[in-house]
Amino acid sequence: MALTNSIFASTTVSITELRRNPGAVIEEAGGMPVAILNHNRPTAYLVPAEAFEALLEQLEDLDLAEVVRQRRGGKTVKVSLDEL
C-alpha cells in the first residue's frame, strides 16, 4: 500500500541537493517556498523570510481577533479622554 503526501510548494529539492548548494536553491526558488524531500517525502519547507514574517503577523492577528470575540459583550468601562 503506497502512501501519498501532499506537497504545498511548486518547487522541491532533496536534502542532499539542499546541502550541496543552499544558496542556489534559494535563488532558484525566486522567493517562493521550497519543499525539502527526504526519501521522496516532504520533511520540511524552506520559506523566504518575508513570507514567514507575514505568516507570523497573520497568526498574531488571528489570536487578537479571538481575544476580541471572547471579550465581546463583556463589562465595559466609561473613560474620558482627559482621564487618559
Side-chain angles (χ1 to χ4, degrees):
M1 181 167 126
L3 296 176
T4 59
N5 298 314
S6 296
I7 297 177
F8 301 101
S10 58
T11 304
T12 61
V13 296
S14 68
I15 288 178
T16 303
E17 290 175 74
L18 180 64
R19 282 185 190 143
R20 281 188 199 133
N21 197 346
V25 170
I26 292 169
E27 186 176 323
E28 288 176 24
M32 299 301 291
V34 177
I36 310 303
L37 306 179
N38 187 20
H39 301 289
N40 293 321
R41 292 188 178 144
T43 57
Y45 287 91
L46 178 62
V47 180
E50 189 174 293
F52 184 75
E53 291 164 3
L55 179 63
L56 289 178
E57 285 184 31
Q58 288 179 343
L59 290 173
E60 184 178 326
D61 289 348
L62 288 172
D63 286 342
L64 290 173
E66 181 58 28
V67 169
V68 169
R69 277 191 289 281
Q70 289 174 358
R71 292 181 180 176
R72 188 177 301 155
K75 184 178 177 182
T76 60
V77 177
K78 189 172 184 174
V79 178
S80 73
L81 289 176
D82 293 332
E83 293 175 359
L84 296 176

